[in-house]
Each structure stands twice: as C-alpha cells, then as structure tokens.
Amino acid sequence: GAGVSQSPSNKVTEKGKDVELRCDPISGHTALYWYRQSLGQGLEFLIYFQGNSAPDKSGLPSDRFSAERTGGSVSTLTIQRTQQEDSAVYLCASSQSFGGAGNTIYFGEGSWLTVV
Amino acid sequence: GNSVTQMEGPVTLSEEAFLTINCTYTATGYPSLFWYVQYPGEGLQLLLKATKADDKGSNKGFEATYRKETTSFHLEKGSVQVSDSAVYFCALSDGGTYKYIFGTGTRLKVLA
C-alpha cells in the first residue's frame, strides 16, 4: 500500500479483555516495528520483525503482550487481559531493511487504545 | 546503551520567531540521526536526517547539523509558522542494531 496502515484507529475495551491491533506495512518493506506512545511519554520500543522473525522481544512490557507476522507482511500485536496502564497509542512502522546508515522508518497513524 | 535526550516542552513562540529544539545523544559507533514530526491527529513523519558527522539535514525550512564533537543534533528554523505547531522527536539509529531510539518529544506551539 501507499503507507503503513493500522487498525483499528481507536479501540475502547474493558479491563481484562483481549485486544488485537493490526499493522499492514508498506509493500516490499521487510522490517516492521511496534512502538508504544503513552500520554506525555516518548516512544517505547516493543518489538521488531525482520521478515517473519522477531529476533528480540525484550521490549514487550509483559507476557500479556505478543506479536506475530505472517507472510512477511501483516503483523498483529495482541494484548491479553488488558490493564488500564496499557492505554496508549500503539504505533507500527516499517522500513525496507533493518539498520543501515540513514535507513528511514515510516510510521502508521497509530491505534489509540483505551482500557476502562 | 544508546539514548537520546531532547529539551522538555512545551515551547511556545510567536509566528516568525526563531526556533531551536535541543537534542543530544549517547551512542556507540556512528549512528544516523533523525528528526520526526507529529502533527495533531497524525502519525510521525520524517522531517530530516543526517548520516555522518558534519552532515546537515534540511527540509521545510528546518535544519539540523550532526555534531559529533558535542554529540548533538539541534533542530532550528529561522521563522516559524502557525502550521509548524506539532510534536518534534529526535531519534537515532545505529546501523548495527535494529532499534531506533527516540527522545521524549518536544511540543511546539506557534501563536499567530
């Protein structure tokens, strides 16, 4: 697609429910990133995919968080048993490859999650 | 580990004022440096970047110079407009890793 697409754009869920957030990266981009932006905070790195592999999941805040990527394209971030502190904007980004001097990552508009 | 520190906001300026948003970094090796901007209700988008020491990135009247000796990448604009009101993020990427490290963001508000 023309840009990184995320859905849903807004999600309100009850505490304890599971949520799934979807990211469709730019076509041809092999690297995909998930970040979290909490109110008044910077961007917190969550996880990175190169193709379908996630070499480092250490940024995920707890074992309630998981992510997968299939077919080297779409990725899903799942939060189980949501808590109020999970409320944030979840940002997905993609790039043509990982690392590399000046490699630019392109962000989606984010999924706003509110846990009530 | 790698880190980025940028000035706290919010920064409030009158239209046509000079803007500086400070950014310093800590990194091993030779990172690339970026400024991203987030306009209200929108996602982050790349504003400018520099990949080696003394490089100057520029776009839309904004400039930033990669200063290795001071480990800085300050964002400047000579004359801001109301439409520049946004949150600005400084970031670095180390070519040897996959993580892009972002600062906490600086909110800029420009008054007419």
Side-chain angles (χ1 to χ4, degrees):
Chain A
V4 178
S5 178
Q6 293 187 245
S7 62
S9 55
N10 283 284
K11 176 72 175 179
V12 180
T13 191
E14 292 181 351
K15 179 180 173 181
K17 300 282 190 182
D18 298 351
V19 296
E20 283 190 353
L21 307 176
R22 175 189 166 104
C23 173
D24 198 347
I26 293 172
S27 179
H29 280 192
T30 58
L32 185 147
Y33 308 78
W34 283 99
Y35 285 84
R36 179 168 70 173
Q37 185 178 21
S38 302
L39 187 63
Q41 303 296 313
L43 273 68
E44 176 186 6
F45 172 84
L46 298 180
I47 190 170
Y48 153 86
F49 288 92
Q50 177 62 20
N52 293 333
S53 299
D56 186 348
K57 304 177 183 179
S58 61
L60 296 176
S62 75
D63 59 8
R64 296 185 295 105
F65 288 72
S66 63
E68 64 176 15
R69 188 180 186 196
T70 56
S73 183
V74 172
S75 176
T76 302
L77 177 69
T78 301
I79 309 173
Q80 295 179 309
R81 304 181 303 281
T82 52
Q83 304 295 313
Q84 288 184 329
E85 61 262 29
D86 299 335
S87 297
V89 179
Y90 290 83
L91 296 168
C92 179
S94 70
S95 67
Q96 287 186 322
S97 61
F98 82 93
N103 191 40
T104 301
I105 58 174
Y106 298 87
F107 283 87
E109 294 190 359
S111 291
W112 292 70
L113 175 65
T114 303
V115 181
V116 297
Chain B
N2 296 345
S3 66
V4 173
T5 302
Q6 59 182 107
M7 62 188 291
E8 299 243 353
V11 174
T12 303
L13 296 173
S14 297
E15 206 165 24
E16 299 183 3
F18 183 86
L19 168 70
T20 300
I21 299 178
N22 289 338
C23 172
T24 57
Y25 68 90
T26 301
T28 55
Y30 303 93
S32 295
L33 302 173
F34 305 81
W35 279 100
Y36 278 80
V37 59
Q38 186 176 33
Y39 297 104
E42 298 184 14
L44 276 78
Q45 55 187 275
L46 178 67
L47 180 60
L48 53 84
K49 68 181 183 183
T51 60
K52 61 183 187 296
D54 300 325
D55 267 3
K56 176 185 285 187
S58 61
N59 186 25
K60 299 182 180 180
F62 291 88
E63 293 183 339
T65 301
Y66 188 162
R67 302 285 189 199
K68 190 168 176 62
E69 64 275 15
T70 55
T71 62
S72 65
F73 193 55
H74 304 321
L75 182 68
E76 297 182 336
K77 186 175 186 182
S79 176
V80 293
Q81 305 300 312
V82 172
S83 57
D84 294 326
S85 298
V87 181
Y88 293 81
F89 292 89
C90 186
L92 69 81
S93 76
D94 179 341
T97 72
Y98 49 82
K99 289 183 181 179
Y100 290 73
I101 307 299
F102 286 82
T104 53
T106 302
R107 182 175 299 278
L108 170 66
K109 185 173 183 180
V110 180
L111 305 176

